[in-house]
Amino acid sequence: MESDDVSVQTTNTDNKTAPTPTLAKEYVVKFSFRPRHSTDQKSVAITHFSILKQVKQIFPSVKIFDNHGEHIKDFSAFHSTEDYESHFNLHFRKGNTQKRRDSVYSIYHRLHTPIPIRDIRNHRKLQNLLKHHNTRMTLHAWNEDEHDIVNLGFFVNVDPTNFLREDFEEFVGTTIAS
């Protein structure tokens, strides 16, 4: 007589530990565009938009937030430069030929992801896109513990990288109070 022992064929699931999901972290990211030729804000906005779209396609778990703290779910909603500018602030620093400094367009915003920014930036497709457009994607100078005050800076249109932490907190507090 044949024995039909199910426990031999299956494993006991009580002893297995479920894989723990990687917790997502919030990063403030800076995109620096150094156009090789004379470029207007519209082309920089289009480039930034295409990079974000590519990030979302490659890494679907990444949540992208605009400068108003809104989660951007649908990238087809941007139909014009005005739509883009209502979500992201584009900063421009004019170049200086005497100091050999190129013009730079910068955009700061938040990403919420379990994947480190280094891994996102070093993905082959994304790395080629960044290199093609002479763009850098770096972490913002402020750490995650201070992101609440940085977000306040975005709301009052202040760039926190130009201040020391204490000076920035004082400036934002004064701006909000007035």
Side-chain angles (χ1 to χ4, degrees):
M1 183 167 192
E2 207 171 292
S3 169
D4 189 19
D5 189 4
V6 177
S7 64
V8 173
Q9 296 173 358
T10 60
T11 59
N12 186 357
T13 59
D14 295 336
N15 295 334
K16 287 188 175 184
T17 58
T20 56
T22 307
L23 296 176
K25 289 180 70 178
E26 185 173 283
Y27 299 98
V28 178
V29 179
K30 175 183 178 182
F31 288 88
S32 301
F33 298 87
R34 295 183 188 275
R36 291 184 177 93
H37 307 291
S38 176
T39 306
D40 61 349
Q41 290 185 353
K42 183 177 180 180
S43 60
V44 171
I46 291 169
T47 302
H48 179 242
F49 179 72
S50 66
I51 291 170
L52 292 180
K53 198 171 183 181
Q54 187 75 20
V55 166
K56 194 64 178 167
Q57 286 176 352
I58 297 170
F59 303 101
S61 63
V62 173
K63 293 181 180 177
I64 299 170
F65 294 89
D66 67 5
N67 291 132
H68 306 290
E70 294 179 29
H71 178 212
I72 299 174
K73 298 176 186 173
D74 183 20
F75 283 93
S76 62
F78 295 106
H79 298 293
S80 66
T81 309
E82 291 79 24
D83 288 343
Y84 174 85
E85 290 173 352
S86 69
H87 290 277
F88 297 103
N89 297 327
L90 185 60
H91 304 278
F92 177 69
R93 186 184 75 205
K94 189 175 180 179
N96 186 335
T97 55
Q98 292 175 340
K99 293 183 180 179
R100 296 182 186 175
R101 187 174 64 201
D102 295 334
S103 297
V104 177
Y105 290 90
S106 301
I107 303 167
Y108 305 88
H109 59 88
R110 296 180 297 132
L111 299 178
H112 195 250
T113 176
I115 305 162
I117 298 299
R118 175 188 67 249
D119 293 346
I120 293 172
R121 180 180 56 225
N122 290 334
H123 187 275
R124 184 182 48 81
K125 284 184 179 180
L126 198 57
Q127 191 176 38
N128 289 339
L129 185 63
L130 292 169
K131 191 180 288 187
H132 176 72
H133 292 289
N134 202 18
T135 304
R136 293 190 59 180
M137 178 181 166
T138 58
L139 283 175
H140 195 274
W142 291 49
N143 66 30
E144 188 177 348
D145 297 332
E146 300 160 335
H147 76 275
D148 288 337
I149 192 73
V150 172
N151 289 338
L152 286 175
F154 286 130
F155 289 121
V156 294
N157 295 323
V158 179
D159 182 3
T161 59
N162 296 329
F163 293 89
L164 295 174
R165 183 176 187 266
E166 294 79 21
D167 296 338
F168 180 71
E169 286 177 354
E170 181 180 327
F171 185 84
V172 169
T174 306
T175 306
I176 291 172
S178 59

